[in-house]
Each structure stands twice: as C-alpha cells, then as structure tokens.
Amino acid sequence: MLFPPALRQLMQQLERLPGVGARSAQRLALYLIRRPEEETRRLAESLILARERTRLCQRCFFLSEAELCELCSDPSRESEVICVVADPRDVVALERLEQYRGLYHVLHGLISPAEGVQPEDLRLRELVERVRAETPREVILATPANVEGDATALYIARLLKSMGVRVTRIAYGMPVGGELDYADAATLGYALSGRQEM
Amino acid sequence: MARETVVEGIVLRRWYAGEHDKWVRLFTPEYGAVRVRVRGARKPTSKMGMLTEPLNRLKARVIEGRAQKLLAQPQLVQSYTGVRADLERLTVALALCETLDRWLPEEHPEPEVYATLLEGLASLAQGATPETVAAETLWRWLAILGYAPELGQCARCGCASEAENRAFVIGDGFLLCAACAPSREGVPLSGASIAHLKETMRGEPGISIARPDEVRSLLRAALRYAERVLESPVRWLEFWERLNALRESG
Ligand SMILES: [Zn+2]
Ligand SMILES: [Zn+2]
C-alpha cells in the first residue's frame, strides 16, 4: 500500500470494524482526514468518551453511565416484571413502544453452541440470582423467534421452573427471523401483549 | 444444477451477510448440501427471513448467479413446531443439522441421508425419545456414508461378537472383545446392544426398540465415533450433555 503510515494505520483500524471491508476502510479514512479538523477531533473525543463512560447496569446489564441504568433507577417502573432480551438494542426497540412499564434483563447473546456461545457466556447466572433476590411476579422472555431464541427461552424456563415465578414468552408471528430490533412497532406491540405461558 | 431449479430441502445452518442478506446451507435430496444467498432476508419487510431459518423444510427456487447461488420464493413445507417446543428435541435436531453441515461436502447428493434426516425429525416431532432418535440417526448416517462398523467379530482375536454377557468395545469403528480391549478404551456394548445395532444397520427397527440403557451406550458409541470421523466435537451435542448434567443435578 502506498498510503503514508498514519493514514495506513487508520485504515487498518477501520477495517477491523464489523461489516467494513478493505475498500470501505480506505474510503472512510480518506473522508475523515479531509473533514475540518474540529469535526475529526469531536469524533475522536466522542469515541473515547462513550468508551470510558458506558458500562453495564449492575442490575439489568443494559448500558448505563451509573451503577444502575435510567430504567432501573426510575421508581415509576414496575419492578415486579422482568423482560429478558438478548441485546441492548432490544431494550431500545421495546421502549419505543411506550407500552411496557416493567424492567429488563439483558443476556448479551443467545445460546448458540455452533457459534461457540454456551449458557455460561450469557448473563444467565445473574438472572437466576436476581429472580431469587427480587422475587418478581412475572418474567417475560422476549428472545427472537429463531432456533437460538427458542433454545434460550426453553433453557431459561427450565432454570426458573422451580422458583415459582410466572414465565411467559412474547407471541410468535414476528418477521425477519424474529429479530426484535428489526420488527415494526405494531408487530412488536402485538407480540408483547399476546405473550404465552412457558 | 441448472441455471434455475426448484428444490426442496432443510436449512442446516444460516449466517448473516452484510446488513440485509444472509446465507443458508440447504440440504436437498437431489443436489446434496447447497450454499445459497438469500437477498434482503433481513429487511423488515421481507418474509424470506423467517422462512429460511434453520430446521425449516422448504421449497424454493435456486438461481445460479455469477459468483454465487441465490435463493428465491421460499415456501414453507414443514417447520417442526413440535420439535421447537421442547429443549431436548430441539437440541438433538440442531445437533443432527450441525453434524450434517460439517459432514456433507458441497453439492454431493445423498438422498438416503436426507431421507434419514426427515425420518429422525418426524420421530422427534411425534415425541420419540431424543436419545433413541439421535443414536439411530447417527448410526444410520455412519453406515450410509461408508463408516459402517465391523460388527461380526472381534477385530483382534476374531471371536464372535454375539456371545452373551460379554462386553465389547467400539473404538475406531470396530469391535474388540472384552479380553482384547485396552482398559477404558472405547464404549462397552452388551451383546444385546450389538444385536440391536446390527438390526439398525440392516434398516430394521433395532435401536428404536432397545432398552434405555442399551440406547444410551449405543448413543455414546455413535457420538464418539461420529466425532472421530468429523475430527472435532459437534457443539450442539456438547450443549446437550450439559443439559443432561443440569437435569441430573436437579
Ligand atoms: Zn438496569
Ligand atoms: Zn478379541
């Protein structure tokens, strides 16, 4: 490559991002260094700031800047209902509905042994401990409607079976391999209200 | 494969490509396992996404593109909801799919393997014991794909394997009698288990009518043998083992 060293290093860093190939990395790097210096500086600062400030809520494992996230520290939320999701983006998708008033638990993945993800790689032990400590009235499983989502929901239902908590799962009929993040509000709202006992 | 073909098949695996597309490995009776791209499968408006998920049996059009094959107009034939509703059945079904995905080369027809997969999934959906289905299906695949074990006699001393109450050991696809087997090598099989295995190999209902303890040892032997043939563990089977451990610990 004939690009000068600093630029080349930027390209190499960008290429490591998900979904960015060598060509996109070059295009992005050339774009970035041509922007006004102030703009580039702001981008770099936001990157570092977001990285430094963002951590996981100690209760629900959603993203937060404090020990507890905004949802967990909001006294108006119904703390006796916990909705289990795979990904932080699912929390955002469900919150957009303005329909659900309970709390969440983010697993950070789904059981998918073929991709090397086993139960102990998820926040499952924390979920069991939380249910034991908080004794919620209901745990809603909002995992996607695909084989990994099914396996994860069935696995959680089994873990919680002996704990006397009502376990439900959001209704099927969701599109796109059941990814919550992609579902439109009407479908997601229907899925949430039509949940079924596990 | 012609430029455009209508196929039936079972989705063994899917993985995502870019923002909107995904790949699936579709196992068809006529063409074997075929890697096809599903354009736009992840777009919110696409119905193709849901239809082309693993464990779905579907009919679809496969179009030969310049560098890749594309899947179009999928129609659901069967989704095995009975399998998906139960953790053990789902796990075994996915383990069988993973095994085939790793085992089958690209576009090599294996109609008998396909038929056996359909039978296995149908039995699981109808409530057969997952252990029995897994053992029977794996042994039949081993036989069809050329790894039938030598069951007639001990591979070392040549003594007959039918003798009652003698522990036989399966290692690399052959039997050794208890006297010849190195200690703790392989999986012990009773005379009755070996008789059931022979029946299954002949296409008779052998393993499916075996006792639970016989099924378990035949399954253990099949798993070890299959993993030896595949040269690595099947990871949905590892998950299944954890599940069994969880169940036993209460
Ligand atoms: Zn929280
Ligand atoms: Zn011998």
PDB file of all heavy atoms in Angstrom, chain A residues 56-64 67-73 103-106 130, ligand 1:
ATOM      1  N   LEU A  56     -22.071  -1.497  32.075  1.00  0.00           N
ATOM      2  CA  LEU A  56     -23.312  -2.250  32.177  1.00  0.00           C
ATOM      3  C   LEU A  56     -23.966  -2.000  33.529  1.00  0.00           C
ATOM      4  O   LEU A  56     -23.285  -1.980  34.554  1.00  0.00           O
ATOM      5  CB  LEU A  56     -23.047  -3.747  32.008  1.00  0.00           C
ATOM      6  CG  LEU A  56     -22.456  -4.175  30.674  1.00  0.00           C
ATOM      7  CD1 LEU A  56     -22.294  -5.693  30.637  1.00  0.00           C
ATOM      8  CD2 LEU A  56     -23.321  -3.705  29.509  1.00  0.00           C
ATOM      9  N   CYS A  57     -25.277  -1.817  33.493  1.00  0.00           N
ATOM     10  CA  CYS A  57     -26.070  -1.666  34.713  1.00  0.00           C
ATOM     11  C   CYS A  57     -25.860  -2.920  35.562  1.00  0.00           C
ATOM     12  O   CYS A  57     -25.929  -4.039  35.065  1.00  0.00           O
ATOM     13  CB  CYS A  57     -27.542  -1.493  34.353  1.00  0.00           C
ATOM     14  SG  CYS A  57     -28.642  -1.619  35.772  1.00  0.00           S
ATOM     15  N   GLN A  58     -25.617  -2.735  36.832  1.00  0.00           N
ATOM     16  CA  GLN A  58     -25.316  -3.871  37.710  1.00  0.00           C
ATOM     17  C   GLN A  58     -26.540  -4.726  38.023  1.00  0.00           C
ATOM     18  O   GLN A  58     -26.418  -5.815  38.559  1.00  0.00           O
ATOM     19  CB  GLN A  58     -24.672  -3.374  39.003  1.00  0.00           C
ATOM     20  CG  GLN A  58     -23.220  -2.980  38.815  1.00  0.00           C
ATOM     21  CD  GLN A  58     -22.429  -4.049  38.072  1.00  0.00           C
ATOM     22  OE1 GLN A  58     -22.202  -5.125  38.597  1.00  0.00           O
ATOM     23  NE2 GLN A  58     -22.032  -3.761  36.834  1.00  0.00           N
ATOM     24  N   ARG A  59     -27.725  -4.201  37.658  1.00  0.00           N
ATOM     25  CA  ARG A  59     -28.938  -4.959  37.936  1.00  0.00           C
ATOM     26  C   ARG A  59     -29.451  -5.662  36.679  1.00  0.00           C
ATOM     27  O   ARG A  59     -29.738  -6.853  36.707  1.00  0.00           O
ATOM     28  CB  ARG A  59     -29.996  -4.012  38.479  1.00  0.00           C
ATOM     29  CG  ARG A  59     -31.234  -4.700  38.989  1.00  0.00           C
ATOM     30  CD  ARG A  59     -32.188  -3.646  39.498  1.00  0.00           C
ATOM     31  NE  ARG A  59     -33.374  -4.174  40.128  1.00  0.00           N
ATOM     32  CZ  ARG A  59     -34.389  -3.407  40.523  1.00  0.00           C
ATOM     33  NH1 ARG A  59     -34.324  -2.097  40.338  1.00  0.00           N
ATOM     34  NH2 ARG A  59     -35.445  -3.948  41.087  1.00  0.00           N
ATOM     35  N   CYS A  60     -29.536  -4.919  35.568  1.00  0.00           N
ATOM     36  CA  CYS A  60     -30.185  -5.491  34.382  1.00  0.00           C
ATOM     37  C   CYS A  60     -29.219  -5.689  33.202  1.00  0.00           C
ATOM     38  O   CYS A  60     -29.594  -6.254  32.187  1.00  0.00           O
ATOM     39  CB  CYS A  60     -31.360  -4.621  33.953  1.00  0.00           C
ATOM     40  SG  CYS A  60     -30.880  -3.072  33.166  1.00  0.00           S
ATOM     41  N   PHE A  61     -28.010  -5.147  33.309  1.00  0.00           N
ATOM     42  CA  PHE A  61     -26.972  -5.293  32.279  1.00  0.00           C
ATOM     43  C   PHE A  61     -27.274  -4.563  30.972  1.00  0.00           C
ATOM     44  O   PHE A  61     -26.693  -4.845  29.941  1.00  0.00           O
ATOM     45  CB  PHE A  61     -26.612  -6.768  32.044  1.00  0.00           C
ATOM     46  CG  PHE A  61     -26.132  -7.409  33.307  1.00  0.00           C
ATOM     47  CD1 PHE A  61     -26.998  -8.141  34.107  1.00  0.00           C
ATOM     48  CD2 PHE A  61     -24.843  -7.211  33.748  1.00  0.00           C
ATOM     49  CE1 PHE A  61     -26.579  -8.673  35.317  1.00  0.00           C
ATOM     50  CE2 PHE A  61     -24.407  -7.734  34.950  1.00  0.00           C
ATOM     51  CZ  PHE A  61     -25.274  -8.474  35.734  1.00  0.00           C
ATOM     52  N   PHE A  62     -28.222  -3.608  31.074  1.00  0.00           N
ATOM     53  CA  PHE A  62     -28.395  -2.663  29.969  1.00  0.00           C
ATOM     54  C   PHE A  62     -27.251  -1.653  30.081  1.00  0.00           C
ATOM     55  O   PHE A  62     -26.526  -1.622  31.066  1.00  0.00           O
ATOM     56  CB  PHE A  62     -29.771  -1.970  30.090  1.00  0.00           C
ATOM     57  CG  PHE A  62     -30.061  -1.012  28.965  1.00  0.00           C
ATOM     58  CD1 PHE A  62     -29.993  -1.441  27.646  1.00  0.00           C
ATOM     59  CD2 PHE A  62     -30.407   0.313  29.232  1.00  0.00           C
ATOM     60  CE1 PHE A  62     -30.257  -0.558  26.605  1.00  0.00           C
ATOM     61  CE2 PHE A  62     -30.683   1.192  28.193  1.00  0.00           C
ATOM     62  CZ  PHE A  62     -30.597   0.756  26.885  1.00  0.00           C
ATOM     63  N   LEU A  63     -27.069  -0.835  29.040  1.00  0.00           N
ATOM     64  CA  LEU A  63     -25.977   0.128  29.049  1.00  0.00           C
ATOM     65  C   LEU A  63     -26.314   1.306  29.956  1.00  0.00           C
ATOM     66  O   LEU A  63     -27.463   1.735  30.020  1.00  0.00           O
ATOM     67  CB  LEU A  63     -25.714   0.606  27.622  1.00  0.00           C
ATOM     68  CG  LEU A  63     -25.479  -0.538  26.633  1.00  0.00           C
ATOM     69  CD1 LEU A  63     -25.538  -0.038  25.206  1.00  0.00           C
ATOM     70  CD2 LEU A  63     -24.158  -1.223  26.926  1.00  0.00           C
ATOM     71  N   SER A  64     -25.301   1.793  30.637  1.00  0.00           N
ATOM     72  CA  SER A  64     -25.535   2.842  31.621  1.00  0.00           C
ATOM     73  C   SER A  64     -24.255   3.607  31.885  1.00  0.00           C
ATOM     74  O   SER A  64     -23.157   3.131  31.606  1.00  0.00           O
ATOM     75  CB  SER A  64     -26.026   2.183  32.916  1.00  0.00           C
ATOM     76  OG  SER A  64     -26.076   3.132  33.955  1.00  0.00           O
ATOM     77  N   GLU A  67     -24.033   3.185  38.151  1.00  0.00           N
ATOM     78  CA  GLU A  67     -24.101   1.790  38.584  1.00  0.00           C
ATOM     79  C   GLU A  67     -25.417   1.145  38.158  1.00  0.00           C
ATOM     80  O   GLU A  67     -25.450   0.000  37.732  1.00  0.00           O
ATOM     81  CB  GLU A  67     -23.944   1.735  40.101  1.00  0.00           C
ATOM     82  CG  GLU A  67     -23.773   0.334  40.607  1.00  0.00           C
ATOM     83  CD  GLU A  67     -22.953   0.303  41.882  1.00  0.00           C
ATOM     84  OE1 GLU A  67     -21.895   0.978  41.938  1.00  0.00           O
ATOM     85  OE2 GLU A  67     -23.382  -0.374  42.815  1.00  0.00           O
ATOM     86  N   LEU A  68     -26.505   1.938  38.281  1.00  0.00           N
ATOM     87  CA  LEU A  68     -27.806   1.475  37.810  1.00  0.00           C
ATOM     88  C   LEU A  68     -28.229   2.317  36.611  1.00  0.00           C
ATOM     89  O   LEU A  68     -27.996   3.520  36.584  1.00  0.00           O
ATOM     90  CB  LEU A  68     -28.866   1.600  38.917  1.00  0.00           C
ATOM     91  CG  LEU A  68     -28.750   0.645  40.103  1.00  0.00           C
ATOM     92  CD1 LEU A  68     -29.907   0.889  41.072  1.00  0.00           C
ATOM     93  CD2 LEU A  68     -28.731  -0.815  39.649  1.00  0.00           C
ATOM     94  N   CYS A  69     -28.866   1.676  35.646  1.00  0.00           N
ATOM     95  CA  CYS A  69     -29.298   2.405  34.454  1.00  0.00           C
ATOM     96  C   CYS A  69     -30.509   3.276  34.765  1.00  0.00           C
ATOM     97  O   CYS A  69     -31.107   3.172  35.831  1.00  0.00           O
ATOM     98  CB  CYS A  69     -29.617   1.425  33.337  1.00  0.00           C
ATOM     99  SG  CYS A  69     -31.139   0.505  33.613  1.00  0.00           S
ATOM    100  N   GLU A  70     -30.896   4.098  33.788  1.00  0.00           N
ATOM    101  CA  GLU A  70     -32.029   5.007  33.989  1.00  0.00           C
ATOM    102  C   GLU A  70     -33.314   4.246  34.308  1.00  0.00           C
ATOM    103  O   GLU A  70     -34.127   4.693  35.108  1.00  0.00           O
ATOM    104  CB  GLU A  70     -32.258   5.833  32.717  1.00  0.00           C
ATOM    105  CG  GLU A  70     -31.376   7.052  32.623  1.00  0.00           C
ATOM    106  CD  GLU A  70     -31.670   7.849  31.363  1.00  0.00           C
ATOM    107  OE1 GLU A  70     -32.858   8.077  31.071  1.00  0.00           O
ATOM    108  OE2 GLU A  70     -30.710   8.205  30.667  1.00  0.00           O
ATOM    109  N   LEU A  71     -33.491   3.109  33.648  1.00  0.00           N
ATOM    110  CA  LEU A  71     -34.722   2.330  33.847  1.00  0.00           C
ATOM    111  C   LEU A  71     -34.765   1.751  35.255  1.00  0.00           C
ATOM    112  O   LEU A  71     -35.784   1.815  35.938  1.00  0.00           O
ATOM    113  CB  LEU A  71     -34.806   1.216  32.805  1.00  0.00           C
ATOM    114  CG  LEU A  71     -34.938   1.699  31.365  1.00  0.00           C
ATOM    115  CD1 LEU A  71     -34.520   0.614  30.392  1.00  0.00           C
ATOM    116  CD2 LEU A  71     -36.354   2.167  31.097  1.00  0.00           C
ATOM    117  N   CYS A  72     -33.642   1.175  35.670  1.00  0.00           N
ATOM    118  CA  CYS A  72     -33.606   0.537  36.986  1.00  0.00           C
ATOM    119  C   CYS A  72     -33.718   1.567  38.115  1.00  0.00           C
ATOM    120  O   CYS A  72     -34.175   1.236  39.203  1.00  0.00           O
ATOM    121  CB  CYS A  72     -32.323  -0.272  37.156  1.00  0.00           C
ATOM    122  SG  CYS A  72     -32.365  -1.828  36.264  1.00  0.00           S
ATOM    123  N   SER A  73     -33.267   2.804  37.856  1.00  0.00           N
ATOM    124  CA  SER A  73     -33.351   3.791  38.939  1.00  0.00           C
ATOM    125  C   SER A  73     -34.623   4.632  38.854  1.00  0.00           C
ATOM    126  O   SER A  73     -34.797   5.552  39.643  1.00  0.00           O
ATOM    127  CB  SER A  73     -32.092   4.670  38.961  1.00  0.00           C
ATOM    128  OG  SER A  73     -31.579   4.861  37.678  1.00  0.00           O
ATOM    129  N   LEU A 103     -39.190  -3.823  34.139  1.00  0.00           N
ATOM    130  CA  LEU A 103     -37.744  -3.727  33.999  1.00  0.00           C
ATOM    131  C   LEU A 103     -37.243  -4.770  33.004  1.00  0.00           C
ATOM    132  O   LEU A 103     -38.017  -5.568  32.488  1.00  0.00           O
ATOM    133  CB  LEU A 103     -37.076  -3.928  35.368  1.00  0.00           C
ATOM    134  CG  LEU A 103     -37.429  -2.886  36.431  1.00  0.00           C
ATOM    135  CD1 LEU A 103     -36.751  -3.227  37.749  1.00  0.00           C
ATOM    136  CD2 LEU A 103     -37.037  -1.471  35.996  1.00  0.00           C
ATOM    137  N   TYR A 104     -35.940  -4.753  32.749  1.00  0.00           N
ATOM    138  CA  TYR A 104     -35.352  -5.652  31.757  1.00  0.00           C
ATOM    139  C   TYR A 104     -34.235  -6.490  32.365  1.00  0.00           C
ATOM    140  O   TYR A 104     -33.741  -6.201  33.454  1.00  0.00           O
ATOM    141  CB  TYR A 104     -34.767  -4.845  30.594  1.00  0.00           C
ATOM    142  CG  TYR A 104     -35.815  -4.129  29.784  1.00  0.00           C
ATOM    143  CD1 TYR A 104     -36.178  -2.818  30.089  1.00  0.00           C
ATOM    144  CD2 TYR A 104     -36.447  -4.764  28.718  1.00  0.00           C
ATOM    145  CE1 TYR A 104     -37.139  -2.157  29.357  1.00  0.00           C
ATOM    146  CE2 TYR A 104     -37.412  -4.110  27.970  1.00  0.00           C
ATOM    147  CZ  TYR A 104     -37.753  -2.811  28.295  1.00  0.00           C
ATOM    148  OH  TYR A 104     -38.716  -2.166  27.569  1.00  0.00           O
ATOM    149  N   HIS A 105     -33.830  -7.492  31.596  1.00  0.00           N
ATOM    150  CA  HIS A 105     -32.577  -8.197  31.893  1.00  0.00           C
ATOM    151  C   HIS A 105     -31.932  -8.534  30.549  1.00  0.00           C
ATOM    152  O   HIS A 105     -32.527  -9.237  29.734  1.00  0.00           O
ATOM    153  CB  HIS A 105     -32.841  -9.474  32.704  1.00  0.00           C
ATOM    154  CG  HIS A 105     -31.592 -10.092  33.228  1.00  0.00           C
ATOM    155  ND1 HIS A 105     -31.062  -9.789  34.454  1.00  0.00           N
ATOM    156  CD2 HIS A 105     -30.722 -10.967  32.648  1.00  0.00           C
ATOM    157  CE1 HIS A 105     -29.938 -10.461  34.626  1.00  0.00           C
ATOM    158  NE2 HIS A 105     -29.707 -11.188  33.554  1.00  0.00           N
ATOM    159  N   VAL A 106     -30.747  -7.999  30.314  1.00  0.00           N
ATOM    160  CA  VAL A 106     -30.096  -8.178  29.013  1.00  0.00           C
ATOM    161  C   VAL A 106     -29.094  -9.331  29.089  1.00  0.00           C
ATOM    162  O   VAL A 106     -28.165  -9.302  29.901  1.00  0.00           O
ATOM    163  CB  VAL A 106     -29.378  -6.889  28.561  1.00  0.00           C
ATOM    164  CG1 VAL A 106     -28.836  -7.053  27.147  1.00  0.00           C
ATOM    165  CG2 VAL A 106     -30.322  -5.690  28.631  1.00  0.00           C
ATOM    166  N   ARG A 130     -31.001 -12.880  40.400  1.00  0.00           N
ATOM    167  CA  ARG A 130     -31.889 -11.726  40.502  1.00  0.00           C
ATOM    168  C   ARG A 130     -33.316 -12.154  40.811  1.00  0.00           C
ATOM    169  O   ARG A 130     -33.992 -11.555  41.652  1.00  0.00           O
ATOM    170  CB  ARG A 130     -31.829 -10.955  39.176  1.00  0.00           C
ATOM    171  CG  ARG A 130     -32.488  -9.618  39.242  1.00  0.00           C
ATOM    172  CD  ARG A 130     -32.297  -8.857  37.947  1.00  0.00           C
ATOM    173  NE  ARG A 130     -33.281  -7.795  37.859  1.00  0.00           N
ATOM    174  CZ  ARG A 130     -33.546  -7.130  36.752  1.00  0.00           C
ATOM    175  NH1 ARG A 130     -32.893  -7.411  35.638  1.00  0.00           N
ATOM    176  NH2 ARG A 130     -34.452  -6.177  36.757  1.00  0.00           N
TER     177      ARG A 130
HETATM  178 ZN    ZN C   1     -30.694  -1.521  34.698  1.00  0.00          ZN
END
